[in-house]
Amino acid sequence: MPLRQLAAALLEQGSNTLLKLDPEHLHLLKPLTGQSLQLVITPIQWPLVLYFSATQIDISLPEQQLAEDAVDCTVVVALSALDQIRDTNNLTKLIKADKLDLQGDLKVLQNLSALLSELDLDLEKILTTYLGHTPAQYTLAFAEKAKTMGEYWFDQAQVTVAEALVEEKKLVASAMRIALYCEDVTQVRYQLDRVEARIALLERQAAQQVEK
Amino acid sequence: MEKQTQTLNAPDIENGKTHFGFKQVDAQDKESMVADVFHNVAAKYDIMNDVMSLGIHRIWKRFTIDSAGARKGQQVLDLAGGTGDLTAKFSRIVGPTGRVTLSDINPSMLEVGKDKLRDMGLVQNIDYVEANAEELPFPDNQFDIVTMAFGLRNVTNKSKALASIYRVLKPGGRLLVLEFSKPTSEGLSKIYDAYSFHLLPKMGKLVANDEESYRYLAESIRMHPDQETLKSMMEDVGFENTTYTNMTGGIVALHKGYKF
């Protein structure tokens, strides 16, 4: 089964389900209707193409990056800067930092940024519809707690890894030391070869004396 | 099961006779017989596709759309487009400057497609044309892309249809034929046969109250040319760089050819 198409279908279904949870989604899609945007995330280099229509977003994951004239706007963005493109004020800064490359109509990206920032997803209201009021409250409280714990663990892990790297670095042999060690090993190998040759010579001489 | 493998790759028309599923019928009658089948299944066509393929037909169609490489402003013909699954996607991809023509020989299927697409709000760049694939009512060199998903096996004279498609394609244009084909492994073939000839007609009876039409669908799949034969047929009418991609173990294949 073509997995790329399956992934695109799931992504499209998920995105449109989320989008339709906002009662204003048709209004938000209006400025983007009929336009298309290609998003290429580096260093992964997997293109994601979004086609906007009046009622939904169609998503495609082509094998290769589409030509610039195939879509209205192509955005090549570094993974680390992905969350920053939601704010259009960051675009110039990101372009200067070589984290963002834009081809085509900038307005499409601006409209998409506006859609993402104006999208009003009231999680509590959505969960209440499906689960009821109390389970929704518990779920959100649990999610909040999990998020806080996750962030704490992530910060701790970052500190531990950073400390370990600093301490390990002190113990790591320098390039010069490694080169000297390799030279010493080579010298020992030569000396060993000479000793072996000498032993062989002495053995041959001892054997000749025994024969005489 | 012996009959099924023997009849694969049978010629379209011989002594004025052609196949309708496993039956031999007068070539001139096949068109109306196929029309009857699709008239019967039109209303439940989408739901039956989902039930029969467990929804996988949507992935096969997505693969076809991605392989078509459609661009903004292009002209696309979705031949035997039925209920318009491909047309809906193409309509959004080619945008307001492009045009998609949904064509089907069967007015019932076309009507279902028209209603569905209008309900989806897709009205601006779609034309609906009732047409026989063997004699397409379009000028030469009109379309950038022609797709035919699960339609070619129902055509009486497939070579004539392929030649007609070749005529309406622009130079540089491409044809994509998505169709049931021959499973690549013997084990899968046996499971597939059991499913098609025993389970599928019963599902047809249960969901659409029409066992016979779904028995025909299963038989017509077995009578359709295999991957290599269809590739040769496309090359015979002039298509170049012809390739095919098997999906789901060869149960379905996507053939692609260019007009240069």
Side-chain angles (χ1 to χ4, degrees):
Chain A
M1 187 190 295
L3 293 176
R4 195 176 284 271
Q5 280 69 28
L6 178 64
L10 293 173
L11 201 57
E12 185 179 296
Q13 183 68 37
S15 306
N16 285 305
T17 305
L18 276 178
L19 189 67
K20 282 167 189 170
L21 290 171
D22 184 342
E24 292 295 310
H25 73 276
L26 293 178
H27 171 69
L28 294 173
L29 273 172
K30 213 169 184 180
L32 282 160
T33 300
Q35 295 180 319
S36 52
L37 180 137
Q38 175 172 223
L39 186 69
V40 184
I41 299 164
T42 55
I44 313 165
Q45 294 290 355
W46 275 4
L48 171 90
V49 185
L50 308 170
Y51 299 97
F52 301 96
S53 60
T55 52
Q56 68 169 74
I57 304 171
D58 287 76
I59 296 179
S60 164
L61 294 168
E63 275 183 45
Q64 292 173 339
Q65 189 175 330
L66 302 183
E68 282 166 25
D69 60 347
V71 285
D72 293 303
C73 178
T74 295
V75 180
V76 183
V77 61
L79 184 62
S80 57
L82 191 59
D83 60 332
Q84 294 175 56
I85 59 168
R86 280 181 66 171
D87 184 354
T88 46
N89 296 324
N90 288 333
L91 299 183
T92 313
K93 191 179 77 185
L94 290 171
I95 291 169
K96 280 182 181 168
D98 278 340
K99 288 185 172 178
L100 176 69
D101 184 24
L102 267 172
Q103 303 288 340
D105 188 358
L106 170 67
K107 212 159 188 304
V108 182
L109 179 61
Q110 287 174 329
N111 288 336
L112 177 62
S113 298
L115 183 147
L116 292 172
S117 50
E118 286 172 30
L119 197 61
D120 182 21
L121 296 177
D122 186 344
L123 275 179
E124 191 179 336
K125 196 175 164 188
I126 295 161
L127 283 176
T128 304
T129 313
Y130 293 104
L131 305 173
H133 184 67
T134 309
Q137 289 284 335
Y138 275 117
T139 309
L140 282 176
F142 176 77
E144 190 59 38
K145 214 171 187 176
K147 190 186 165 202
T148 313
M149 289 280 277
E151 282 172 351
Y152 174 75
W153 282 336
F154 183 71
D155 289 344
Q156 286 295 306
Q158 263 189 326
V159 171
T160 310
V161 170
E163 280 176 359
L165 284 174
V166 169
E167 291 305 316
E168 283 297 316
K169 202 182 171 191
K170 287 179 191 167
L171 301 173
V172 171
S174 67
M176 180 61 83
R177 277 187 176 278
I178 291 170
L180 286 172
Y181 174 75
C182 291
E183 183 62 28
D184 287 348
V185 171
T186 309
Q187 289 300 326
V188 169
R189 191 176 292 141
Y190 289 152
Q191 285 169 6
L192 196 65
D193 290 344
R194 280 199 293 274
V195 170
E196 277 179 355
R198 180 81 183 138
I199 290 168
L201 182 67
L202 288 171
E203 280 177 349
R204 279 202 299 276
Q205 285 174 352
Q208 283 169 1
Q209 279 178 358
V210 169
E211 282 174 13
K212 284 176 188 173
Chain B
M1 298 296 163
E2 186 61 24
K3 191 178 180 185
Q4 293 144 27
T5 46
Q6 274 177 356
T7 48
L8 194 78
N9 297 337
D12 280 351
I13 301 172
E14 227 170 3
N15 302 325
K17 295 271 183 188
T18 190
H19 48 81
F20 176 75
F22 290 157
K23 290 178 207 150
Q24 282 291 309
V25 297
D26 286 335
Q28 61 198 25
D29 295 338
K30 180 172 173 177
E31 193 179 308
S32 62
M33 293 169 88
V34 171
D36 284 345
V37 168
F38 281 91
H39 178 73
N40 292 341
V41 302
K44 297 264 175 117
Y45 188 75
D46 281 343
I47 191 167
M48 272 307 289
N49 275 348
D50 279 333
V51 173
M52 287 187 310
S53 71
L54 305 172
I56 301 171
H57 75 102
R58 292 170 190 271
I59 305 297
W60 296 330
K61 286 172 182 168
R62 260 181 187 273
F63 184 79
T64 306
I65 290 159
D66 285 353
S67 302
R71 289 171 176 219
K72 230 176 151 62
Q74 285 192 323
Q75 301 275 323
V76 180
L77 170 62
D78 181 11
L79 202 51
T83 54
D85 283 347
L86 271 71
T87 297
K89 282 269 177 213
F90 278 129
S91 160
R92 294 181 192 119
I93 294 172
V94 300
T97 53
R99 201 119 203 111
V100 185
T101 305
L102 172 60
S103 171
D104 204 295
I105 194 170
N106 192 299
S108 305
M109 294 289 285
L110 205 56
E111 205 51 47
V112 173
K114 201 185 279 186
D115 286 347
K116 189 170 118 182
L117 295 171
R118 281 180 181 166
D119 287 348
M120 291 163 88
L122 299 169
V123 286
Q124 284 186 333
N125 61 352
I126 303 175
D127 297 316
Y128 301 90
V129 177
E130 191 183 319
N132 183 345
E134 293 173 24
E135 289 158 7
L136 291 171
F138 306 109
D140 295 359
N141 309 323
Q142 183 170 338
F143 296 100
D144 297 286
I145 296 165
V146 177
T147 57
M148 199 174 191
F150 306 113
L152 188 63
R153 70 175 191 283
N154 299 309
V155 174
T156 308
N157 190 336
K158 295 175 186 66
S159 295
K160 199 175 169 190
L162 290 170
S164 181
I165 293 166
Y166 187 83
R167 181 184 64 76
V168 300
L169 269 174
K170 287 179 187 173
R174 72 219 70 153
L175 163 68
L176 293 105
V177 179
L178 178 67
E179 191 51 271
F180 290 104
S181 206
K182 191 179 175 188
T184 47
S185 91
E186 197 57 39
L188 179 62
S189 193
K190 282 180 181 159
I191 296 168
Y192 183 48
D193 277 344
Y195 170 75
S196 310
F197 291 101
H198 300 292
L199 199 58
L200 187 63
K202 286 185 175 61
M203 285 162 76
K205 190 178 180 184
L206 196 70
V207 179
N209 197 25
D210 185 356
E211 189 170 349
E212 271 313 300
S213 294
Y214 285 91
R215 194 180 305 284
Y216 161 74
L217 291 182
E219 290 177 3
S220 66
I221 289 166
R222 297 308 183 282
M223 297 303 295
H224 187 66
D226 65 14
Q227 289 88 330
E228 283 298 329
T229 311
L230 180 55
K231 184 171 177 277
S232 304
M233 287 169 74
M234 287 172 68
E235 285 163 351
D236 287 346
V237 299
F239 283 101
E240 294 179 61
N241 286 9
T242 311
T243 54
Y244 64 83
T245 309
N246 285 324
M247 287 184 273
T248 320
I251 287 177
V252 159
L254 175 67
H255 282 73
K256 189 173 176 182
Y258 290 83
K259 174 181 176 179
F260 290 126

